[in-house]
Amino acid sequence: MITHPCLHPSLSKPSLSFLSSSSPPFLQHLSFLPTSPSITKPVLVHSVKRLHVKCSYTNPTSQSHPVRAPPISTLKIAIIGFGNYGQFLAKTLVSQGNIVLAHSRSDYSHVAKKLGVSFFLNPHDLCEQHPEVILLCTSIISTEQILKTLPLQRLKRSTLFVDVLSVKEFARNLLLDALPPDFDIICSHPMFGPQSAKQSWKDLFFVYEKVRIGNESSRVQRCEQFLGIFQSEGCKMVEMSCQEHDKLAAGSQFMTHTVGRVLDMLGLESTPINTKGYETLLDLVENTCGDSFDLYYGLFLYNKSALEMVERLDLAFDALRNELFGRLHHVVRKQLFENGEKVKSVHDSSYQNDAASTFSSNALRSQDVTVPYEFKGKLSESVDDSSKLKVAIVGFGNFGQFLAKTLARQGHSVLAYSRTDYRDAAQKLGVSFFSDANDLCEEHPEVILLCTSILSTEKVLKSMPFQRLKRSTLFVDVLSVKEFPRNLFLQHLPPEFDILCTHPMFGPESGKNGWNKLPFVFDKVRIGNDERRVARCNSFLDIFAREGCRMVEMTCAEHDWHAAGSQFITHTMGRVLEKLQLESTPINTKGYETLLKLVENTAGDSFELYYGLFMYNVNAMEQLERMDFAFESLKKQLFGRLHGVLRKELFGDSEKLEVLQEKSVRKNGAALSSSSESVKIS
């Protein structure tokens, strides 16, 4: 049995602040650990200040910088680390006419030959070729070890070293520390890879800092030649300091990978009713799960701003959960105390409103059996007179008006009622507006279409004057949860009324360019056997089929199961990221753009909608638990690996010494035993 931590406020989560405190003396030299006293301050969810970055953009489409300007001349470039990314860069370097050499601990000679690259298993042989540029394409974690093993003495003293790591301060400090002062240094980050740039590099960011370039014109020209390789491919060239890069990358690249890995742990799968927002999450998982954990761990360990982002994401998730449970507590309290007073009042009045008989009839209605039959849409634009419906929209807000526009265009007669006066909006759409529900019902609409919010549906339904409607009226809802309105309809509607529960899984934003291929979910909860009632139900469904919707028939229970794993997760992640106040940066990756768009799409919806998805979907609580567990598991992976690094620093040498001492004791003991045996024999 899973116990939700938020229901036990006395049990707080382990703090991450121990990692923010001053580091012990033996770790002071490590560049990836924070040394600034400011990092020890409490981390606030909204604490990020706008960072002013000095960037120089090169627009590849401008006249001053043509897209495919050829390099001035070719370079001899040695790629150290010829794995997937090294091969990816080599392909373009060779296509531009550069001489490319490569070295890697693994034998990639067969791959190099296909690409037109000279491969060397021995780094001495490679360095003796005197390449002009050494391009480090190693992993973050292995860079220091590989750099220390390079025979620098075999290179020309003015060689240009370039790295392409995803973290920059670490790389900068490492290169300055490991390389002789004669060597030139560029720290760069092509913010794309084989997956995101498989078509081209056009309009993708290339970030760089000229850390150390000699004054000689030949060395300055060589630096520009190397940068020209990426400029000529259409990259957006962004010059900024390594420190600025890491600050921005922690808020974009590291955050993107963190969200992607949390979602991957949830085991998200495509459903029959995917929304566009959920599709973006699936794409994000696909893009990030292909990268190794070592890459993600490197982004965390070697970017001192990453720890703050973990803290802020943790706080944002807790804040959202507190909002949900705070609202839930209020509802439970209201049920316990206010309803208790009402029940006492009912008992005192001796059931004069024959509540017992009403309860009995409601129990019978809940046992009604759905009549199974298959729906086939007409998929045509024209609507003949026999298929035209008189539809009354109850709740004429943004979504009600959105649906009314299409209903009216198809030739249906549309009426509307809302507590707010939308008379002007209705007139523009060709809709008859009523401010009194009695007047609306006396028009005898064939369909009552409820476009109310989840939270207000029950109250609105109870206030409807059912007695003024025809006894066979069809009631339809469009709520984002389905079991709740189904039970509500069965409980409160007279048994003669037909019931159709639907969910158009799109809205004014996602459906503004048409409804083609967008999912429309429906459940024929209770439709009479009369031929006219069956035809009326099908005519209503045809409204969406004619627009090209993907018609998905499933039970309300099935819908809520799928929606909790897709729609609720999408809204939850969007609202968590919204609390972080994410902003566009000068170096956005495609994954980060996905997160920004997700925030934009979900932030437009009210908290009441999100709370309704949580409160009225029985599966939402489980999904919230699973997301919390996934994030905690990811943190344990990160800090568990970090614990290993710290333990190695603390005990590595002493443990080796103990092993050597044990070996020495065993060796000396064996020698002593051998000596005594010799004495006995003699």
Side-chain angles (χ1 to χ4, degrees):
M1 179 177 178
I2 298 176
T3 304
H4 202 291
C6 274
L7 300 180
H8 303 279
S10 60
L11 300 177
S12 58
K13 288 188 179 181
S15 173
L16 308 182
S17 59
F18 73 94
L19 291 169
S20 303
S21 57
S22 300
S23 55
F26 64 88
L27 292 175
Q28 293 286 350
H29 69 283
L30 295 180
S31 60
F32 60 83
L33 286 173
T35 56
S36 171
S38 62
I39 197 71
T40 61
K41 295 180 181 178
V43 182
L44 301 177
V45 175
H46 301 290
S47 63
V48 174
K49 296 180 180 179
R50 191 183 299 274
L51 185 66
H52 298 284
V53 184
K54 296 179 180 178
C55 305
S56 60
Y57 287 94
T58 301
N59 186 346
T61 59
S62 65
Q63 294 180 354
S64 57
H65 299 285
V67 174
R68 294 288 276 172
I72 300 171
S73 60
T74 59
L75 292 170
K76 184 188 283 187
I77 302 173
I79 297 177
I80 307 295
F82 202 58
N84 192 30
Y85 197 76
Q87 295 168 28
F88 165 68
L89 293 181
K91 186 176 180 180
T92 297
L93 296 177
V94 171
S95 71
Q96 290 190 6
N98 297 290
I99 300 170
V100 183
L101 322 174
H103 160 69
S104 197
R105 288 174 294 183
S106 301
D107 186 357
Y108 289 113
S109 55
H110 59 293
V111 179
K113 187 176 181 180
K114 290 179 181 178
L115 295 174
V117 173
S118 301
F119 187 81
F120 298 85
L121 271 174
N122 191 319
H124 289 266
D125 294 335
L126 176 127
C127 291
E128 286 175 353
Q129 296 295 318
H130 287 172
E132 298 167 88
V133 180
I134 297 287
L135 183 58
L136 290 170
C137 294
T138 53
S139 70
I140 301 173
I141 296 174
S142 65
T143 299
E144 184 172 8
Q145 180 185 357
I146 290 174
L147 191 61
K148 287 179 178 179
T149 63
L150 279 179
L152 303 177
Q153 71 278 7
R154 302 196 182 280
L155 295 168
K156 285 189 175 182
R157 289 169 295 169
S158 62
T159 305
L160 170 61
F161 270 74
V162 183
D163 83 284
V164 291
L165 298 189
S166 302
V167 290
K168 297 268 59 81
E169 275 197 281
F170 164 71
R172 178 184 185 275
N173 295 339
L174 185 62
L175 291 172
L176 286 173
D177 184 54
L179 295 179
D182 313 287
F183 289 173
D184 288 348
I185 300 172
I186 295 178
C187 285
S188 76
H189 183 197
M191 301 196 70
F192 49 87
Q195 183 63 26
S196 57
K198 56 186 175 184
Q199 303 299 332
S200 75
W201 299 359
K202 188 176 184 299
D203 293 333
L204 299 177
F205 289 108
F206 182 87
V207 184
Y208 66 96
E209 180 183 1
K210 299 173 183 176
V211 177
R212 187 172 67 200
I213 304 296
N215 294 325
E216 292 90 336
S217 60
S218 59
R219 295 168 76 169
V220 173
Q221 184 181 7
R222 180 182 59 190
C223 170
E224 296 304 323
Q225 280 181 246
F226 179 81
L227 295 176
I229 292 170
F230 297 88
Q231 181 179 320
S232 65
E233 293 295 320
C235 290
K236 291 183 178 178
M237 309 297 287
V238 183
E239 184 173 10
M240 64 170 58
S241 70
C242 293
Q243 182 181 10
E244 289 170 324
H245 168 278
D246 283 2
K247 183 69 177 177
L248 294 172
S252 58
Q253 191 180 25
F254 176 72
M255 181 61 68
T256 303
H257 278 263
T258 300
V259 172
R261 287 188 172 272
V262 168
L263 294 173
D264 185 41
M265 287 180 173
L266 294 178
L268 300 186
E269 295 180 349
S270 182
T271 74
I273 54 174
N274 290 354
T275 60
K276 286 187 175 181
Y278 187 60
E279 290 285 356
T280 63
L281 293 190
L282 293 176
D283 290 341
L284 181 63
V285 171
E286 184 180 354
N287 290 338
T288 52
C289 70
D291 296 319
S292 66
F293 187 82
D294 282 348
L295 169 62
Y296 174 62
Y297 175 67
L299 294 175
F300 169 72
L301 186 61
Y302 295 103
N303 188 334
K304 64 185 181 184
S305 302
L307 180 60
E308 180 186 349
M309 297 311 300
V310 174
E311 269 284 11
R312 293 180 63 231
L313 187 60
D314 200 25
L315 290 173
F317 184 69
D318 280 346
L320 181 64
R321 201 168 44 182
N322 289 338
E323 279 187 79
L324 284 176
F325 290 118
R327 182 75 68 92
L328 182 61
H329 176 267
H330 174 72
V331 172
V332 172
R333 183 177 177 84
K334 187 175 181 180
Q335 289 286 337
L336 285 172
F337 295 99
E338 293 188 14
N339 285 357
E341 294 297 323
K342 291 178 182 177
V343 170
K344 185 176 182 297
S345 175
V346 169
H347 278 288
D348 292 342
S349 62
S350 304
Y351 300 102
Q352 292 180 0
N353 60 351
D354 68 353
S357 61
T358 304
F359 176 81
S360 176
S361 63
N362 285 340
L364 290 173
R365 289 170 204 152
S366 66
Q367 298 172 10
D368 287 349
V369 180
T370 304
V371 181
Y373 51 87
E374 184 180 0
F375 166 74
K376 294 181 180 178
K378 294 181 180 178
L379 297 173
S380 62
E381 282 297 325
S382 60
V383 182
D384 56 44
D385 290 338
S386 63
S387 300
K388 290 181 180 178
L389 297 170
K390 183 187 282 189
V391 182
I393 297 177
V394 177
F396 202 59
N398 194 27
F399 196 76
Q401 294 172 32
F402 168 66
L403 294 181
K405 185 177 180 181
T406 297
L407 292 173
R409 177 173 53 77
Q410 287 191 8
H412 300 285
S413 177
V414 185
L415 321 175
Y417 160 73
S418 195
R419 288 172 294 182
T420 305
D421 187 356
Y422 288 114
R423 199 177 308 274
D424 293 341
Q427 187 176 6
K428 291 178 182 178
L429 294 171
V431 173
S432 301
F433 186 81
F434 297 84
S435 56
D436 190 315
N438 289 280
D439 295 335
L440 176 96
C441 292
E442 286 176 354
E443 293 294 323
H444 287 173
E446 298 168 87
V447 180
I448 297 288
L449 182 57
L450 284 176
C451 293
T452 53
S453 69
I454 300 174
L455 301 183
S456 65
T457 299
E458 184 172 8
K459 182 179 179 181
V460 172
L461 188 63
K462 286 180 177 179
S463 69
M464 292 293 295
F466 300 133
Q467 71 280 4
R468 302 195 184 282
L469 293 168
K470 284 188 176 181
R471 288 170 295 168
S472 63
T473 305
L474 170 62
F475 269 73
V476 184
D477 84 285
V478 290
L479 298 189
S480 301
V481 291
K482 295 270 59 77
E483 281 197 279
F484 167 66
R486 176 187 182 277
N487 296 336
L488 201 60
F489 281 162
L490 290 172
Q491 181 182 359
H492 294 289
L493 292 180
E496 300 86 8
F497 288 178
D498 287 348
I499 300 172
L500 178 65
C501 286
T502 78
H503 183 197
M505 301 199 68
F506 49 88
E509 184 61 31
S510 56
K512 61 185 176 183
N513 297 319
W515 303 354
N516 190 43
K517 295 183 180 179
L518 298 177
F520 181 88
V521 183
F522 64 96
D523 183 8
K524 298 171 181 176
V525 176
R526 187 173 69 201
I527 305 295
N529 291 323
D530 184 274
E531 187 177 321
R532 289 173 299 175
R533 295 167 77 166
V534 173
R536 178 181 60 189
C537 175
N538 287 340
S539 293
F540 180 81
L541 293 173
D542 270 334
I543 293 169
F544 299 89
R546 288 190 182 95
E547 298 299 318
C549 289
R550 184 163 54 86
M551 308 298 286
V552 183
E553 183 171 12
M554 64 170 55
T555 66
C556 293
E558 286 177 314
H559 168 278
D560 284 2
W561 171 257
H562 289 302
S566 58
Q567 192 179 23
F568 179 70
I569 288 291
T570 303
H571 277 263
T572 299
M573 190 54 72
R575 287 188 173 273
V576 168
L577 296 172
E578 181 191 7
K579 290 183 178 296
L580 297 177
Q581 295 185 328
L582 301 183
E583 295 181 351
S584 183
T585 74
I587 53 174
N588 289 354
T589 60
K590 286 188 175 181
Y592 188 60
E593 290 286 355
T594 298
L595 295 189
L596 292 177
K597 192 167 184 179
L598 178 64
V599 172
E600 182 182 352
N601 290 340
T602 53
D605 296 318
S606 65
F607 186 81
E608 280 66 26
L609 169 62
Y610 174 62
Y611 174 68
L613 294 175
F614 169 73
M615 182 70 174
Y616 295 101
N617 189 331
V618 69
N619 305 293
M621 184 67 161
E622 179 187 350
Q623 294 300 327
L624 196 66
E625 271 286 2
R626 293 179 67 238
M627 184 177 285
D628 186 39
F629 181 77
F631 185 46
E632 291 299 320
S633 298
L634 185 62
K635 285 194 297 183
K636 285 179 182 177
Q637 278 185 276
L638 285 176
F639 297 125
R641 183 78 69 92
L642 182 60
H643 176 264
V645 173
L646 295 175
R647 181 174 178 80
K648 187 176 180 181
E649 288 288 334
L650 283 169
F651 304 110
D653 292 337
S654 61
E655 287 179 351
K656 288 179 183 177
L657 181 61
E658 288 178 9
V659 171
L660 290 174
Q661 287 175 340
E662 286 179 12
K663 287 182 177 179
S664 177
V665 169
R666 285 197 297 269
K667 184 177 180 181
N668 292 336
L672 182 61
S673 175
S674 175
S675 175
S676 61
E677 288 293 329
S678 299
V679 171
K680 288 178 184 177
I681 293 172
S682 60

